[in-house]
Amino acid sequence: GKHWTVNEVRALIHIWSDKNIQQQLEGAVRNKRIFEQVAARLQKFGIDRDWKQCRTKYKNLKHEYKSVKSAQGSGNTSKSMKFFNELDAILGHCTIEQASKSDN
């Protein structure tokens, strides 16, 4: 799909940081409905993404975050990513085990 701009990713993270959305994502196995909500909220920002694009981007960000986090945990500080701090604010509190549970 179309490459995500920095503003689009920021908007996605902003919606993702909503406690309500986080709680739904943490408990969900089938999360299409949640990402439909996310996509609808992005539309309000004038961002046209479907739920699949949102879910894919969410998964990719989460995966990248986790690999940076674990690299840091093993003392490798050279690995970093653009939105690490924003994601750390959302994901930093939950255990890796919780994080992987809500991946699928």
Side-chain angles (χ1 to χ4, degrees), residues 78-91:
S78 64
K79 203 171 162 70
S80 73
M81 65 179 284
K82 194 168 210 152
F83 301 101
F84 184 81
N85 291 339
E86 290 93 325
L87 291 174
D88 200 43
I90 301 172
L91 297 169

Side-chain angles (χ1 to χ4, degrees), residues 6-100:
V6 168
N7 281 342
E8 287 176 330
V9 177
R10 281 232 162 83
L12 179 69
I13 292 172
H14 173 72
I15 294 166
W16 181 4
S17 69
D18 181 325
K19 283 277 178 278
N20 188 17
I21 295 281
Q22 281 179 58
Q23 280 167 349
Q24 290 183 62
L25 283 168
E26 270 169 35
V29 178
R30 294 202 165 59
N31 49 23
K32 176 182 175 188
R33 234 182 43 252
I34 306 162
F35 285 105
E36 283 172 342
Q37 283 178 47
V38 170
R41 286 171 69 172
L42 282 173
Q43 296 259 286
K44 291 180 186 159
F45 293 112
I47 297 168
D48 188 26
R49 296 282 179 184
D50 64 25
W51 71 269
K52 276 197 172 116
Q53 290 171 307
C54 293
R55 188 178 66 181
T56 301
K57 190 63 181 172
Y58 161 82
K59 282 185 166 179
N60 291 346
L61 283 167
K62 203 164 164 176
H63 179 76
E64 194 183 351
Y65 167 81
K66 278 196 278 193
S67 69
V68 171
K69 188 84 169 167
S70 67
Q72 286 180 356
S74 63
N76 175 2
T77 51
S78 64
K79 203 171 162 70
S80 73
M81 65 179 284
K82 194 168 210 152
F83 301 101
F84 184 81
N85 291 339
E86 290 93 325
L87 291 174
D88 200 43
I90 301 172
L91 297 169
H93 64 270
C94 73
T95 63
I96 294 297
E97 166 194 334
Q98 261 182 325
S100 61

